[in-house]
Amino acid sequence: MPDDRLTSDQPRERLMALGAGALSDAELVAVHLGTGRQGEGVMALARSLLTEWGGVGGLARADVDELSRTPGVGPAKACRLVAAFALADRITSHEGAAVTTSADIATIAATRIGRARTERVLLVLLDGRNRVRRIETVASGGATSSLVPVREVLSIALRHDAVSVAVAHNHPGGGTEPSAEDVAVTRRLRLACGEVGLRFLDHVIVAGDRWCSVTASR
């Protein structure tokens, strides 16, 4: 029977007694934080973070460095929060899923890097039946031709016996129009994959729920 004496200032106890579904957003954040900061309890810190970032969606886009700068959070708590959101994104892991269109690649990329506040490059490896074998982030901080590691893409693909590869990156600013660099690196990847016997499927740009195929746009 639920214990009515439990308050929102006891988020872990409420989680154990009532289940995660009974907790507010702030209470769930507080569970991951564990402790508050000087002069402020964990619930007050959780509410402050949600207010600062505009709710759960905004907080999920924050990276470790940004969260670490918040007084009372620091690297350890920031890592726990970022890891929690990353795990939530991976509830649908997509491993073993069939990929036949650019939209399939965009769906995978949106769950992994769609919320990121910095540009990240995602590599999707597929087997001979076009089923996902592995998904890996291979670069962050930008998606220009100098930052997409073509050699590393090929090395990872060959090491994991991939037959086909696809690449995606995000545009945190919201636009999906490919840049000249996006087009150039797509051409380089296609040629490089062909030289080692890999099939290059596409390079997709995601921005939230929107996406664009670099290959199809040219």
Side-chain angles (χ1 to χ4, degrees):
M1 185 174 181
D3 189 342
D4 293 334
R5 295 171 298 177
L6 293 173
T7 69
S8 63
D9 291 323
Q10 301 170 286
R12 282 181 295 185
E13 289 78 4
R14 280 173 50 79
L15 176 61
M16 290 186 288
L18 306 175
L23 272 62
S24 66
D25 292 345
E27 288 173 315
L28 291 172
V29 171
V31 169
H32 289 288
L33 290 172
T35 59
R37 54 191 172 190
Q38 186 173 4
E40 187 175 64
V42 67
M43 282 300 300
L45 176 56
R47 294 188 187 102
S48 176
L49 280 173
L50 288 169
T51 299
E52 178 183 352
W53 290 96
V56 174
L59 187 59
R61 289 190 290 272
D63 61 31
V64 171
D65 289 340
E66 291 171 324
L67 291 172
S68 295
R69 291 195 290 269
T70 301
V73 177
K77 292 176 182 177
C79 284
R80 287 200 295 269
L81 283 172
V82 170
F85 286 117
L87 280 173
D89 284 342
R90 295 186 187 186
I91 290 174
T92 303
S93 68
H94 298 291
E95 289 188 16
V99 172
T100 58
T101 67
S102 299
D104 295 331
I105 300 167
T107 297
I108 292 171
T111 61
R112 296 296 185 102
I113 61 174
R115 289 199 303 245
R117 294 169 63 84
T118 58
E119 289 190 354
R120 298 179 185 177
V121 181
L122 197 72
L123 172 63
V124 182
L125 305 180
L126 301 106
D127 62 19
R129 296 183 299 167
N130 269 14
R131 295 190 179 276
V132 176
R133 173 165 287 179
R134 186 179 182 89
I135 303 170
E136 190 166 328
T137 300
V138 293
S140 61
T144 66
S145 58
S146 61
L147 289 176
V148 175
V150 175
R151 181 178 296 180
E152 185 177 354
V153 166
L154 298 181
S155 176
I156 294 171
L158 294 172
R159 188 165 67 245
H160 293 283
D161 296 321
V163 175
S164 303
V165 301
V167 171
H169 79 269
N170 63 312
H171 278 181
T176 59
E177 180 68 22
S179 66
E181 290 83 0
D182 295 332
V183 175
V185 76
T186 301
R187 186 180 301 113
R188 286 181 58 207
L189 282 169
R190 181 183 293 281
L191 292 172
C193 285
E195 289 176 359
V196 297
L198 291 168
R199 188 160 66 96
F200 181 71
L201 295 182
D202 203 353
H203 178 187
V204 171
I205 298 170
V206 294
D209 295 330
R210 301 170 59 223
W211 63 273
C212 172
S213 165
V214 178
T215 304
S217 67
R218 290 293 181 274

